[in-house]
């Protein structure tokens, strides 16, 4: 989609998001982009992994603005993070440069690694900073094939009513198969059909309090035993 068709929006916590007319969806919650990502993906996802997991393989469905990747880099602590991002419609570099996340996080120096996330070549692993590697795939989830198991999945596709093909039971089963035992799947959606799809795939699913403006979210965990 041409960058001119995507609109820059300021959300209620002062942080940026983008609006896609094609899907009639915002990339993040209008109640607060940073607030939502911190709650759903960092606190309920990354921080929930056992402390003894010092090397984490993470898959994000919907790389989008790069906010979740930036927050993961910032909050990885002393763990090595191998970050895989999937994106079918990449955000143009000039659009990414207008996003205000480094300033709103109070760390303007993060602008350099943030733009490195966006400017990294597709399909090639790169080191963004010591302990944080990234590979971005310009592809659709339906055809993505993983070579290694993931410890954590950020499922940040557009909402089920906008992209129903990404929220099916078959997709959730593929997510389960891509994960290592004990792996965690987190998403902002709490839709009952999504919950049922995750349960049918084999996950243990729990509803958790959602971020500001949203009552609930879902976290799913793969049993910590080898099949």
């Amino acid at each position: 989609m041409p960058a001119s068709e995507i609109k820059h929006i300021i959300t209620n916590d002062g942080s940026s998001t983008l609006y896609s007319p094609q899907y009639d969806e915002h990339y993040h919650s209008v109640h607060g982009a940073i607030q939502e990502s911190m709650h759903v993906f960092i606190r309920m996802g990354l921080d929930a992994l056992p402390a003894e997991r010092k090397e984490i393989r993470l898959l994000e469905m919907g790389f989008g603005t790069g906010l979740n990747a930036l927050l993961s880099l910032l909050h990885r602590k002393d763990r090595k993070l191998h970050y895989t991002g999937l994106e079918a419609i990449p955000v143009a570099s000039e659009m990414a440069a207008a996003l205000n996340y480094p300033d709103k996080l109070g760390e303007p120096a993060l602008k350099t690694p943030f733009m490195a996330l966006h400017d990294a070549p597709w399909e090639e692993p790169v080191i963004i900073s010591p302990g944080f590697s990234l590979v971005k795939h310009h592809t659709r989830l339906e055809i993505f094939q993983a070579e290694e198991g993931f410890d954590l999945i950020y499922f940040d596709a557009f909402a089920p009513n906008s992209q129903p093909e990404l929220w099916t039971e078959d997709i959730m089963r593929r997510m389960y198969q891509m994960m290592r035992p004990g792996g965690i799947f987190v998403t902002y959606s709490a839709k009952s059909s999504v919950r049922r799809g995750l349960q049918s795939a084999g996950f243990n699913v729990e509803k958790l309090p959602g971020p500001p403006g949203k009552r609930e979210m879902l976290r799913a965990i793969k049993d910590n035993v080898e099949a």
Side-chain angles (χ1 to χ4, degrees):
M1 180 188 306
S4 60
E5 295 184 22
I6 298 177
K7 299 178 182 179
H8 182 269
I9 304 291
I10 298 298
T11 66
N12 288 354
D13 67 358
S15 59
S16 301
T17 192
L18 301 175
Y19 170 75
S20 168
Q22 178 180 353
Y23 292 100
D24 189 24
E25 287 276 359
H26 293 88
Y27 281 57
H28 305 285
S29 170
V30 296
H31 297 281
I34 288 177
Q35 286 183 143
E36 177 192 43
S37 289
M38 277 298 303
H39 180 85
V40 175
F41 300 109
I42 303 304
R43 297 192 186 101
M44 301 301 181
L46 184 61
D47 288 350
L49 285 170
E52 58 268 22
R53 288 204 184 189
K54 296 298 185 182
E55 190 160 355
I56 298 167
R57 298 195 175 277
L58 191 160
L59 173 68
E60 179 180 14
M61 172 51 222
F63 184 81
T65 65
L67 174 57
N68 295 333
L70 180 67
L71 292 174
S72 299
L73 186 156
L74 188 60
H75 293 278
R76 67 177 183 82
K77 300 175 182 175
D78 61 344
R79 299 172 291 187
K80 287 186 178 180
L81 194 53
H82 304 280
Y83 202 103
T84 298
L86 306 184
E87 183 56 60
I89 308 174
V91 171
S93 183
E94 60 269 23
M95 182 68 76
L99 299 169
N100 66 3
Y101 305 134
D103 288 338
K104 284 301 173 182
L105 290 167
E107 299 194 42
L110 286 174
K111 184 76 170 182
T112 297
F114 179 62
M115 290 311 300
L117 293 169
H118 282 281
D119 294 336
W122 295 91
E123 320 304 334
E124 296 180 25
V126 296
I127 304 298
I128 300 298
S129 68
F132 188 100
S133 64
L134 169 73
V135 59
K136 298 187 299 183
H137 296 287
H138 184 186
T139 189
R140 294 180 292 109
L141 176 61
E142 302 96 309
I143 62 175
F144 173 67
Q145 297 294 325
E147 297 180 359
E148 300 181 71
F150 295 104
D151 302 283
L152 179 60
I153 292 178
Y154 294 165
F155 205 85
D156 201 17
F158 286 138
N161 56 335
S162 297
Q163 288 189 303
E165 70 277 9
L166 298 181
W167 299 87
T168 65
E169 183 177 318
D170 181 62
I171 288 291
M172 298 309 157
R173 188 173 293 109
R174 290 189 63 216
M175 296 297 94
Y176 185 88
Q177 293 167 350
M178 287 182 187
M179 300 192 79
R180 293 175 58 195
I184 294 176
F185 170 110
V186 281
T187 184
Y188 63 87
S189 178
K191 195 171 181 178
S192 57
S193 61
V194 177
R195 177 175 50 82
R196 290 193 300 268
L198 288 165
Q199 290 172 331
S200 180
F203 284 104
N204 296 312
V205 184
E206 55 185 333
K207 288 184 179 180
L208 299 172
K214 190 166 180 60
R215 189 164 59 90
E216 295 175 323
M217 58 163 286
L218 295 178
R219 181 166 63 195
I221 300 174
K222 184 172 182 175
D223 283 334
N224 199 15
V225 292
E226 295 288 354

